[in-house]
Amino acid sequence: MSGPATTPAAAAAALPPGATLGVMGGGQLGRMFVHAAQSLGYATAVLDADPASPAGLVAHRHVASAYLDEAGLAALAEASAAITTEFENVPAQALERLAARRPVAPAAAAVRVCQDRAAEKAHFRQAGVPCAPHALIASAEQLDAVPAGLLPGILKTAQLGYDGKGQVRVGDRAALAAAWDQLGRRPCVLEQRLALRAEISVVVARGADGAMVELPVQQNLHRDGILAVTQVPPPDVAPALQAEAVRSARALAGSLGYVGVLCVEFFVVDDGSADGALVANEMAPRPHNSGHHSLDACDVSQFELQVRTLAGLPLAAPRLHSPAVMLNLLGDLWFRGGDDAAVEPPWPAVLALPGVHLHLYGKAEARPGRKMGHLTVTAADAGTACAVAREAAARLGLPPF
Ligand code: ATP
Ligand code: MG
């Protein structure tokens, strides 16, 4: 933890309650940002083309336009005293245009790095943070020149991937060539497929004055490339490795000159040592699904940290007051009966369990793979949180973890 961030200068620059905070993107992350902003007394404005976007539905003002629409950007800038983003793939040009008129955090340049796996990996290297062995494939020559040691690997599009989309697992050169064709011969990164012992992430917040705080490290379980379960504290990761992850996340935020909330995902891989070794996977320039437990298990949530960094308020180090397990609720849950028609999951059955915090995002239509909500179980000890979360998963028909 760094020292107190309250300085007369920072306090003088803070936006007063009643000011409007703007957000690019109207998904669930924007919705939870809006809720946090509202509880600190701010008004909110959301830009998203969807008239029924989760954040647009709860904001004071909804600008229904495309991200690059001039009139929409002008309306958001007009309405807002400062603007942030909730969607990783908001075009960086849109943030640049907004920044000509209003303070924007994180800055377009930092978002651009997080949007491109090649730039992201170059940044890891520059900050001295290890990442998976990889090669850039943007031409047939680069495809042919891939070192054999990277196979078996995972071919990932350099841009516009999320939730495991734009990724193909490849075993040999023939499969690699076919996968690159399948991905439209777009610029890609081939990563060596690593044997993962665990996955963890760090959510760090950095203010304009350079002060940083972070959430305690969380451990994540993915299914089919999508986050399924987050556990805090991490059950399987040595404290020294957790501390290293925090140091790396801070180094990455600091060297980007980042302002806002940044999530860094890491793999724990075998290197023959007892603890294993840490490898950075990717960064998200916004709050992250793996930090959702902070709403209920920490005394400052990742969304409040985003509000504080945007409004120029002091950062206070979050404290995990309860061990927690977060379960993602994907649209698949609505189709468990095998029917084509969506059926509401049995919420009362899980709300009857102690320490269950249910968050639904207000999306009208459930679709397989769509993030519809999450639930966090808090308890006095990690064993109880885990046992109750397993029971909740069973009652909903989620796979065991
Ligand atoms: P996100 O929704 O987190 O943005 P994404 O589509 O960008 O996801 P990644 O984080 O790159 O995808 O990968 C998704 C998951 O696939 C990882 O969390 C991990 O479980 C697995 N994975 C990715 N890269 C590797 C690798 N090099 N070796 C082994 N497993 C990997
Ligand atoms: Mg990821």
Side-chain angles (χ1 to χ4, degrees):
M1 187 190 129
S2 59
T6 315
T7 62
L15 292 173
T20 297
L21 302 182
V23 57
M24 288 290 277
Q28 63 271 12
L29 299 176
R31 179 180 174 103
M32 292 182 269
F33 167 82
V34 163
H35 287 151
Q38 290 172 342
S39 81
L40 280 167
Y42 293 102
T44 51
V46 167
L47 184 146
D48 191 294
D50 178 359
S53 76
L57 289 176
V58 296
H60 298 79
R61 173 101 194 260
H62 179 195
V63 178
S65 88
Y67 292 127
L68 286 168
D69 181 81
E70 280 305 336
L73 291 173
L76 183 70
E78 189 62 38
S80 311
I83 298 160
T84 188
T85 180
E86 66 101 44
F87 177 57
E88 181 161 348
N89 291 319
V90 163
Q93 308 95 284
L95 298 178
E96 274 157 7
R97 285 184 211 167
L98 290 169
R101 309 180 57 165
R102 291 287 187 267
V104 172
V111 172
R112 227 185 258 284
V113 172
C114 301
Q115 284 174 342
D116 186 298
R117 290 187 194 275
E120 195 169 60
K121 286 185 160 58
H123 182 67
F124 290 152
R125 184 164 296 170
Q126 184 202 321
V129 175
C131 61
H134 63 277
L136 180 63
I137 299 179
S139 68
E141 290 71 35
Q142 285 171 320
L143 181 72
D144 291 340
V146 159
L150 293 183
L151 295 165
I154 304 184
L155 187 68
K156 304 180 178 183
T157 56
Q159 296 187 354
L160 296 175
Y162 69 100
D163 288 349
K165 294 184 174 65
Q167 299 197 8
V168 185
R169 290 176 173 240
V170 292
D172 55 28
R173 282 187 185 279
L176 173 62
W180 195 49
D181 278 343
Q182 184 192 328
L183 294 173
R185 299 187 151 234
R186 278 176 290 165
C188 284
V189 169
L190 175 69
E191 284 180 29
Q192 187 184 70
R193 204 183 307 162
L194 303 170
L196 311 186
R197 272 165 64 161
E199 297 191 55
I200 60 176
S201 55
V202 179
V203 172
V204 58
R206 187 172 182 276
D209 60 358
M212 282 190 258
V213 299
E214 64 279 326
L215 297 183
V217 175
Q218 50 261 349
Q219 184 171 332
N220 307 317
L221 172 72
H222 292 82
R223 289 192 190 111
D224 302 326
I226 307 181
L227 182 67
V229 181
T230 293
Q231 287 176 273
V232 200
D236 308 312
V237 181
L241 224 54
Q242 296 182 37
E244 187 187 329
V246 168
R247 278 196 303 276
S248 296
R250 282 177 166 248
L252 291 166
S255 56
L256 277 174
Y258 196 85
V259 179
V261 169
L262 177 77
C263 178
V264 186
E265 295 180 73
F266 297 91
F267 300 140
V268 180
V269 298
D270 265 320
D271 66 343
S273 70
D275 291 351
L278 208 58
V279 168
N281 173 26
E282 59 169 356
M283 304 186 287
R286 48 165 175 76
H288 193 258
N289 199 163
S290 63
H292 286 358
H293 68 282
S294 61
L295 288 166
D296 303 300
C298 294
D299 54 9
V300 187
S301 78
Q302 60 172 349
F303 302 102
E304 180 170 340
L305 292 174
Q306 187 181 18
V307 172
R308 290 190 188 211
T309 55
L310 186 63
L313 295 168
L315 298 177
R319 181 178 67 88
L320 183 79
H321 54 67
S322 305
V325 178
M326 190 278 314
L327 304 178
N328 250 355
L329 304 172
L330 302 181
D332 309 62
L333 265 187
W334 275 248
F335 299 95
R336 279 179 46 233
D339 258 14
D340 282 353
V343 176
E344 198 71 28
W347 305 128
V350 287
L351 288 169
L353 295 167
V356 167
H357 310 265
L358 178 63
H359 299 261
L360 294 170
Y361 306 145
K363 297 183 184 180
E365 194 199 342
R367 290 193 296 269
R370 192 176 197 201
K371 290 178 177 171
M372 301 298 290
H374 69 271
L375 69 80
T376 300
V377 179
T378 55
D381 60 85
T384 306
C386 193
V388 174
R390 287 190 167 132
E391 177 61 24
R395 290 187 185 188
L396 288 173
L398 287 168
F401 64 92

